[in-house]
DNA sequence: GTAACATGCAACCATGGGATTGCATAAGAC
DNA sequence: GTCTTATGCAATCCCATGGTTGCATGTTAC
């Protein structure tokens, strides 16, 4: 993909975040962490249908996207939400919506003239 | 995955939308459609590095997620943004952030008591 | 009607992603 | 010290996905 006028920098920053959120299991993990607060891997696994290892991999994906972070407490590993990174995705959507409205405005003006 | 107390319905609705947005090529398509307005397949292909067929497939993915819609104009197929579906993703992120804040609030109260 | 253009359809290929199983290691509990 | 619990690591499997090429079909232009 060539560098394009339409904010390519933003695209390549936001896409991985969306990709990380674009899986039901991961989105459910984000939901649980947001409502129940920081949780260990085994606790997160207990509420899910898949294996602990699968959950671990999903958490790694979320961590790579900057959506969660971990800290060690004794023998367990606690994961918590990193809501700042979700802002990247949210503002991106707002940005797109806004430009779309502007495009509609231009079209309307064009038709009227 | 078991039906869980944490808004599973919402999760399974929002995940496909995030998944559709989680690809650089597709996100770039969304960006172009938002800034330039409705465009045909060939026009969209012209600004991209991949094949027309690849672009078509990506548009199909976006359409399945409800993010774009198409209409025929003569021999060409015009694609335009469907910003309503992006609201689903945006409100989901807001929802998660809000619950996270509440969780922090509960934690703070717990520590203080 | 014929040429050029826009798109559709189908087969194919390579890679990555989601999930599993089995075993190893580290840290509390007693 | 031993047992149990929480996690890490690695190999493996299956399938979805992103991309391609080649050819067919429909539509506009002249």
């Amino acid at each position: 993909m060539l560098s394009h006028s339409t904010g390519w920098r933003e695209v390549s920053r936001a896409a991985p975040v969306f990709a990380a959120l674009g899986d039901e299991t991961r989105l459910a993990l984000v939901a649980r962490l947001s409502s129940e607060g920081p949780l260990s891997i085994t606790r997160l696994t207990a509420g899910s249908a898949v294996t602990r290892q699968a959950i671990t991999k999903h958490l790694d994906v979320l961590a790579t996207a900057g959506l969660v972070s971990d800290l060690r407490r004794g023998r367990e590993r606690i994961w918590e939400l990193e809501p700042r990174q979700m802002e990247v995705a949210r503002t991106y959507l707002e940005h797109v919506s806004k430009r779309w409205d502007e495009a509609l405005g231009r079209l309307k003006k064009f038709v009227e003239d």
Side-chain angles (χ1 to χ4, degrees), chain A:
Chain A
M1 175 80 63
L2 294 159
S3 177
H4 207 269
S5 65
T6 313
W8 178 249
R9 187 69 51 77
E10 309 253 322
V11 166
S12 56
R13 248 220 303 169
V17 180
F18 286 123
L21 294 172
D23 176 277
E24 289 198 347
T25 306
R26 283 196 292 270
L27 203 54
L29 287 174
V30 168
R32 284 199 64 194
L33 290 177
S34 78
S35 60
E36 304 181 28
L39 292 170
S40 73
I41 295 176
T42 24
R43 295 258 302 182
L44 286 169
T45 303
S48 169
V50 295
T51 320
R52 172 179 59 85
Q53 282 79 355
I55 297 295
T56 299
K57 284 192 185 178
H58 282 301
L59 288 168
D60 287 339
V61 172
L62 289 171
T64 301
L67 287 164
V68 298
S69 64
D70 67 303
L71 61 95
R72 311 214 61 124
R73 192 174 64 191
R75 64 181 157 179
E76 49 187 4
R77 196 169 164 196
I78 309 292
W79 289 90
E80 72 172 3
L81 208 61
E82 210 66 56
R84 230 180 271 169
Q85 194 64 10
M86 291 199 310
E87 281 302 294
V88 171
R90 217 177 54 79
T91 58
Y92 188 90
L93 293 177
E94 271 178 9
H95 195 211
V96 167
S97 293
K98 191 182 158 208
R99 278 190 299 188
W100 172 251
D101 288 342
E102 292 167 1
L104 281 189
R106 284 197 302 275
L107 184 59
K108 184 163 176 279
K109 192 167 190 301
F110 174 76
V111 171
E112 283 172 351
D113 289 352

